[in-house]
Amino acid sequence: MLVELKDRLTQAIRDMKNATVVDESVVNECLNEITRALLRGDVPFHLVKELVNNVKKSANLNNLPSGINKRKILEESIFSELCNMLNPGKPSFTPRKGETSVVMFVGLQGTGKTTTCAKYAYYHQKKGWKPALICADTFRDGALDQLKQDAVKVEIPYYGSSTESDPTEVALEGLKRFKNENRDLIIIDTSGRHKQEVALLEEMRQLYEATKPDLVVFLIDSSIGQAAFDQARAFKQSVSVGGVIVTKFDGHAKGGGAISAVAATKCPVIFIENGEQLDKFEAFDAKAFVCRLLG
Ligand code: GDP
């Protein structure tokens, strides 16, 4: 997972720390290496440039009195800027047990939405919530069957319709049913397309306005890199995205996708999923992740 990015970032910091004197050329070389590492990880250029400028500003190495540990300051500054890239500081809505919360999942087709809805439900069920799943994907044949299979596996109630073609009607009916049953975490799976088409975004807007979810989660496939920026921005313009989940972290994850999605939505990554099985799902902590990235 992200091995190349990790190796390159670690090496850049190691070289800087091993230099006899941390002068301007060592700092520049370190930041150039970090730039190259992030660009190869498919992080958009403007975000990399911003990170480098912020590091230069916050480390302020030229104006430090002698005797100050420049290596440590530079390392800490890189660490905190990488954390900021994955967590813009605005916390996501967190469902509370015993109070009804509605969470809507959005993203392109094939991202892993249906799988992740079930994983998110299962994750919370294990922690004592009473989740329920709604299939508001009336576009893709087999979407309801897929959700049903996962829901049955983990014994979570689900709702969907094989006859109603309006996703909003299905979602509202499911919400009514599960609210009556006192389910405290109601998860709405939505449809996708292969790209961010106008019809999909309009469907999401209508669903959002009708169901008024407490949280909209945008899903991004970790292998797509910086193309995530435009995808995330398109969804964000249609619905009020509040958190990001990065899917398929077990595959060819690039890092750029997660960073781009956070930058475009200004929302934190809240979970990652790293495998097809339903328990391959974990809460995301930007600091712990960057610690691992920097070795
Ligand atoms: P949706 O179209 O966004 O609802 O995506 P699906 O949930 O149907 O997932 C698309 C494909 O990706 C399916 O074949 C899933 O089994 C697979 N998939 C989902 N999550 C993961 C993951 O974390 N790792 C891997 N390797 N495959 C996944």
Short mmCIF file of all heavy atoms in Angstrom, two decimals, residues 16 32 52 96 105 128 135 139 165 169 183 193 215 231:
data_model
loop_
_atom_site.label_atom_id
_atom_site.label_comp_id
_atom_site.label_asym_id
_atom_site.label_seq_id
_atom_site.Cartn_x
_atom_site.Cartn_y
_atom_site.Cartn_z
N MET A 16 17.81 14.54 4.58
CA MET A 16 17.88 15.85 5.23
C MET A 16 18.46 15.70 6.64
O MET A 16 19.35 16.45 7.05
CB MET A 16 16.47 16.45 5.26
CG MET A 16 16.30 17.79 5.92
SD MET A 16 16.08 17.72 7.70
CE MET A 16 14.46 16.99 7.86
N ASN A 32 12.31 19.39 -2.67
CA ASN A 32 12.20 18.93 -4.07
C ASN A 32 11.88 17.44 -4.13
O ASN A 32 11.08 16.99 -4.93
CB ASN A 32 13.51 19.18 -4.84
CG ASN A 32 13.66 20.65 -5.17
OD1 ASN A 32 12.69 21.40 -5.11
ND2 ASN A 32 14.87 21.07 -5.49
N VAL A 52 4.51 22.81 -0.07
CA VAL A 52 5.91 23.26 0.02
C VAL A 52 5.96 24.70 0.54
O VAL A 52 6.76 25.02 1.43
CB VAL A 52 6.61 23.10 -1.35
CG1 VAL A 52 7.96 23.79 -1.37
CG2 VAL A 52 6.77 21.62 -1.68
N ARG A 96 -24.76 9.42 16.64
CA ARG A 96 -24.80 9.09 18.08
C ARG A 96 -25.79 7.97 18.30
O ARG A 96 -26.91 8.02 17.79
CB ARG A 96 -25.23 10.33 18.88
CG ARG A 96 -24.12 11.37 18.92
CD ARG A 96 -24.71 12.72 19.24
NE ARG A 96 -25.16 12.73 20.63
CZ ARG A 96 -24.66 13.55 21.54
NH1 ARG A 96 -23.74 14.42 21.22
NH2 ARG A 96 -25.12 13.53 22.77
N PHE A 105 -24.60 7.80 0.99
CA PHE A 105 -23.32 7.55 0.32
C PHE A 105 -23.40 7.94 -1.15
O PHE A 105 -24.35 7.53 -1.84
CB PHE A 105 -22.98 6.05 0.41
CG PHE A 105 -22.40 5.64 1.73
CD1 PHE A 105 -23.10 5.82 2.91
CD2 PHE A 105 -21.15 5.08 1.80
CE1 PHE A 105 -22.56 5.46 4.14
CE2 PHE A 105 -20.59 4.70 3.02
CZ PHE A 105 -21.30 4.89 4.19
N GLY A 128 -22.69 -1.47 18.65
CA GLY A 128 -23.93 -1.30 19.41
C GLY A 128 -25.02 -0.48 18.74
O GLY A 128 -26.08 -0.26 19.32
N CYS A 135 -31.55 0.69 -0.32
CA CYS A 135 -30.98 0.71 -1.67
C CYS A 135 -31.77 1.72 -2.50
O CYS A 135 -32.86 1.44 -2.98
CB CYS A 135 -31.06 -0.68 -2.30
SG CYS A 135 -30.52 -0.64 -4.02
N PHE A 139 -30.96 2.52 -10.66
CA PHE A 139 -30.37 2.64 -12.00
C PHE A 139 -29.69 1.35 -12.44
O PHE A 139 -29.85 0.89 -13.56
CB PHE A 139 -29.35 3.79 -11.98
CG PHE A 139 -28.68 4.05 -13.30
CD1 PHE A 139 -29.32 4.74 -14.31
CD2 PHE A 139 -27.38 3.59 -13.53
CE1 PHE A 139 -28.69 4.98 -15.52
CE2 PHE A 139 -26.75 3.82 -14.73
CZ PHE A 139 -27.40 4.52 -15.74
N SER A 165 -39.20 2.99 -9.67
CA SER A 165 -37.99 3.44 -10.37
C SER A 165 -37.49 4.80 -9.87
O SER A 165 -36.41 5.25 -10.25
CB SER A 165 -38.26 3.51 -11.87
OG SER A 165 -39.31 4.44 -12.08
N GLU A 169 -38.48 8.16 -3.99
CA GLU A 169 -39.64 7.45 -3.40
C GLU A 169 -39.15 6.27 -2.56
O GLU A 169 -39.62 6.03 -1.45
CB GLU A 169 -40.57 6.92 -4.50
CG GLU A 169 -41.38 7.99 -5.21
CD GLU A 169 -42.28 8.74 -4.24
OE1 GLU A 169 -42.88 8.10 -3.36
OE2 GLU A 169 -42.37 9.98 -4.36
N ARG A 183 -34.63 2.39 14.23
CA ARG A 183 -33.24 2.16 13.81
C ARG A 183 -32.48 3.47 14.00
O ARG A 183 -32.99 4.54 13.66
CB ARG A 183 -33.22 1.74 12.33
CG ARG A 183 -33.82 0.37 12.11
CD ARG A 183 -32.79 -0.69 12.35
NE ARG A 183 -33.33 -1.86 12.99
CZ ARG A 183 -32.58 -2.86 13.45
NH1 ARG A 183 -31.26 -2.80 13.37
NH2 ARG A 183 -33.11 -3.89 14.02
N ARG A 193 -22.66 6.41 -11.85
CA ARG A 193 -22.47 6.30 -13.30
C ARG A 193 -20.96 6.19 -13.47
O ARG A 193 -20.21 6.34 -12.52
CB ARG A 193 -22.95 7.55 -14.06
CG ARG A 193 -24.38 7.98 -13.78
CD ARG A 193 -25.44 7.11 -14.43
NE ARG A 193 -26.74 7.75 -14.32
CZ ARG A 193 -27.53 7.69 -13.26
NH1 ARG A 193 -27.18 7.01 -12.18
NH2 ARG A 193 -28.70 8.32 -13.25
N LEU A 215 -25.47 13.26 7.24
CA LEU A 215 -24.11 13.21 6.70
C LEU A 215 -24.15 12.65 5.29
O LEU A 215 -24.81 11.63 5.04
CB LEU A 215 -23.24 12.29 7.59
CG LEU A 215 -21.84 11.95 7.08
CD1 LEU A 215 -20.96 13.20 7.04
CD2 LEU A 215 -21.17 10.90 7.99
N GLN A 231 -14.02 14.92 -9.62
CA GLN A 231 -15.18 14.10 -9.17
C GLN A 231 -15.74 14.65 -7.87
O GLN A 231 -16.93 14.89 -7.73
CB GLN A 231 -14.72 12.67 -8.89
CG GLN A 231 -14.86 11.74 -10.05
CD GLN A 231 -14.45 10.34 -9.63
OE1 GLN A 231 -14.79 9.85 -8.55
NE2 GLN A 231 -13.70 9.69 -10.49
#
